[in-house]
Amino acid sequence: KIPTADPGGKGIANALGFYAKEMRFYQELAGHCGVGAPRCYYASSEPEAIKYVLLLEDLAAIPIGDQIEGCTFDQARLIVDKLGDLHARWCDSAELAALDWIPASNAPVQQFVSIAYGQAIGPFLEKFGERLTADQRELATRLGARLASIQDAMATAPHMLCHGDARLDNIFFGSPDGKQPLTFVDWQIAVRARGPYDIGYFTSQSMQPADRKTHEEELLRGYYDKLAKAGVKNYSWEQCWEDYRVSVLFCLAYPVIAGGSIDLANDRGVALGNAMTDRSIAAITELDCSSLLERFAPVA
């Protein structure tokens, strides 16, 4: 794995520390992070030149998820369960606190989301706005100024190691040695936050809306039970459910930022943008996430 050839994307990823973070993840954490991750056989970098290389385990023989197609309920249950393993493994541990290269959700580098959202919302609405009602377009417009406040809320305890990009295109079903049911890749935006951040992102953008609506409470209750059995304390079911709704709201940032930069000549990119947008907006609407907006102060 090497940096993108696109100069703009390469510069942004380097400025946000994505390459250095993923390199350290594979060197230091991949073998004991709590979920399946590829083995790293070699890693080298020249940060000043933005040169990074990772030689990772070959996963080509293992089926990978397809975010456009979405996943079955059984697949979703497995993914949420394994994310619970990841979060429980690191929850409020001294080991996690020592990983100063994993930023908190409200770290300065993470606040780039607000800037990117502000730049993307106009182009996003031009390209995908017809898929939203007037009320949904208004919500999308108002959300941008509140993203930083939501990040502050999600940075409070319990602190967990989150994958940060838990979507089907980053999840393989199996592992080369047959010992793991899933292998997660693309750890560039791993973050310290409340765990429902990963869950809300996954369910709201990798599940078909009808399946997500039918099963999301069951999925989240299973996730919450896993945390409780692992010893996570002072975290109520009610708070977990609210964090899930807040995360679903925040994660509209993904289709907005991605959609605002999509080349409409890229058929797969457009299809993915449509799927992410439709699913995210459906989840926000059905969970009444708009009612949460006023809890978070706008930040200029």
Side-chain angles (χ1 to χ4, degrees):
K1 184 173 185 178
I2 60 175
T4 176
D6 173 60
K10 183 177 181 179
I12 291 172
N14 187 61
L16 297 177
F18 289 172
Y19 299 132
K21 184 198 302 182
E22 187 165 43
M23 179 164 287
R24 291 195 69 173
F25 172 83
Y26 280 113
Q27 289 176 311
E28 301 177 25
L29 303 184
H32 61 95
C33 66
V35 294
R39 296 179 185 178
C40 179
Y41 299 116
Y42 177 78
S44 183
S45 66
E46 296 178 16
E48 299 80 5
I50 319 182
K51 291 183 178 180
Y52 295 86
V53 61
L54 291 167
L55 181 61
L56 301 174
E57 189 171 21
D58 186 0
L59 306 180
I62 305 169
I64 187 173
D66 183 338
Q67 190 172 358
I68 294 175
E69 181 179 341
C71 63
T72 66
F73 168 59
D74 286 341
Q75 290 173 327
R77 182 165 51 190
L78 176 60
I79 290 166
V80 170
D81 180 69
K82 293 298 131 184
L83 288 171
D85 287 338
L86 172 69
H87 300 159
R89 158 75 177 82
W90 296 93
C91 184
D92 280 337
S93 67
E95 193 177 3
L96 177 61
L99 300 177
D100 57 1
W101 50 274
I102 301 284
S105 65
N106 64 344
V109 68
Q110 297 297 112
Q111 294 173 8
F112 175 79
V113 171
S114 297
I115 298 171
Y117 192 100
Q119 295 172 341
I121 186 64
F124 169 80
L125 290 175
E126 288 178 11
K127 297 174 183 178
F128 298 95
E130 65 182 16
R131 309 182 79 85
L132 281 63
T133 67
D135 286 345
Q136 291 165 347
R137 289 194 294 271
E138 181 186 5
L139 179 144
T141 301
R142 294 174 62 205
L143 176 61
R146 292 168 167 80
L147 291 173
S149 294
I150 295 175
Q151 288 175 305
D152 285 341
M154 296 305 288
T156 59
H159 304 110
M160 305 176 192
L161 174 61
C162 292
H163 180 279
D165 199 10
R167 60 191 184 91
L168 275 178
D169 288 355
N170 289 334
I171 302 171
F172 288 77
F173 289 90
S175 64
D177 62 7
K179 294 180 179 180
Q180 294 287 349
L182 299 173
T183 301
F184 289 80
V185 300
D186 231 346
W187 292 85
Q188 291 185 343
I189 56 176
V191 65
R192 280 181 286 168
R194 292 188 173 191
Y197 170 69
D198 269 345
I199 311 302
Y201 176 36
F202 167 71
T203 62
S204 70
Q205 292 175 41
S206 288
M207 294 184 72
Q208 295 289 353
D211 289 338
R212 188 261 317 145
K213 183 178 180 180
T214 299
H215 298 295
E216 64 191 338
E217 183 171 347
E218 178 183 350
L219 290 171
L220 199 66
R221 283 195 177 274
Y223 168 80
Y224 179 78
D225 288 346
K226 168 149 285 192
L227 295 184
K229 290 177 182 177
V232 175
K233 302 182 184 303
N234 301 317
Y235 191 51
S236 69
W237 159 251
E238 291 75 18
Q239 186 62 62
C240 183
W241 179 254
E242 180 171 309
D243 289 344
Y244 172 73
R245 292 175 64 224
V246 170
S247 299
V248 167
L249 176 63
F250 177 85
C251 285
L252 180 60
Y254 285 87
V256 168
I257 294 171
S261 63
I262 282 176
D263 177 0
L264 294 180
N266 179 341
D267 291 342
R268 177 171 173 81
V270 172
L272 183 57
N274 288 339
M276 293 169 67
T277 298
D278 292 349
R279 293 169 188 171
S280 181
I281 286 295
I284 287 170
T285 301
E286 290 162 3
L287 289 164
D288 189 26
C289 296
S290 61
S291 66
L292 301 171
L293 268 182
E294 297 310 317
R295 300 187 190 182
F296 302 99
V299 178

